Amino acid sequence: MACSRLIEKEAYVKDKKKCIALIDGNMVPHHLTIPGRALVKGDTRVLCISAASIVAKVIRDRIMLELDAQYPEYYLKDHKGYSTKKHQNAIRK
């Protein structure tokens, strides 16, 4: 979803006629305003998707650390986007 929002910003898409969004997955988001192409296992096939995936994971991990400082009772620093038993149990409480 964040990828879609980034693509939609005019600052990143200067000429929509010359752009295509490469999506790592099997579906192109329906709300894109530029053409898109879904590539299953795109992060292993296309260098720019691989790079974007790494950047997104690093940013996600940093955000999870910041959120953990605000909400330590949910152990967000431990799962960083991937649920753990400890996190699930904290949510249930």
Side-chain angles (χ1 to χ4, degrees):
M1 187 58 99
C3 173
S4 299
R5 285 192 299 266
L6 182 63
I7 290 169
E8 297 301 319
K9 290 187 176 184
E10 291 296 323
Y12 294 94
V13 181
K14 300 280 187 207
D15 186 349
K16 291 184 182 185
K17 292 177 186 170
K18 295 180 182 179
C19 290
I20 184 168
L22 299 177
I23 309 297
D24 184 17
N26 62 357
M27 294 178 7
V28 175
H30 66 278
H31 59 279
L32 289 179
T33 59
I34 61 173
R37 180 171 175 205
L39 299 165
V40 175
K41 297 190 183 277
D43 60 339
T44 64
R45 299 169 52 199
V46 180
L47 186 59
C48 65
I49 295 176
S50 300
S53 178
I54 292 167
V55 169
K57 288 173 184 164
V58 168
I59 291 170
R60 180 213 51 220
D61 290 350
R62 289 179 183 166
I63 291 169
M64 296 307 282
L65 289 172
E66 290 174 12
L67 288 172
D68 184 75
Q70 293 176 359
Y71 307 102
E73 66 273 16
Y74 294 112
Y75 308 101
L76 297 170
K77 68 179 178 187
D78 296 333
H79 79 62
K80 296 182 182 175
Y82 302 99
S83 186
T84 64
K85 283 244 186 235
K86 190 165 51 170
H87 173 74
Q88 291 173 6
N89 290 335
I91 290 173
R92 286 187 192 105
K93 291 180 182 177

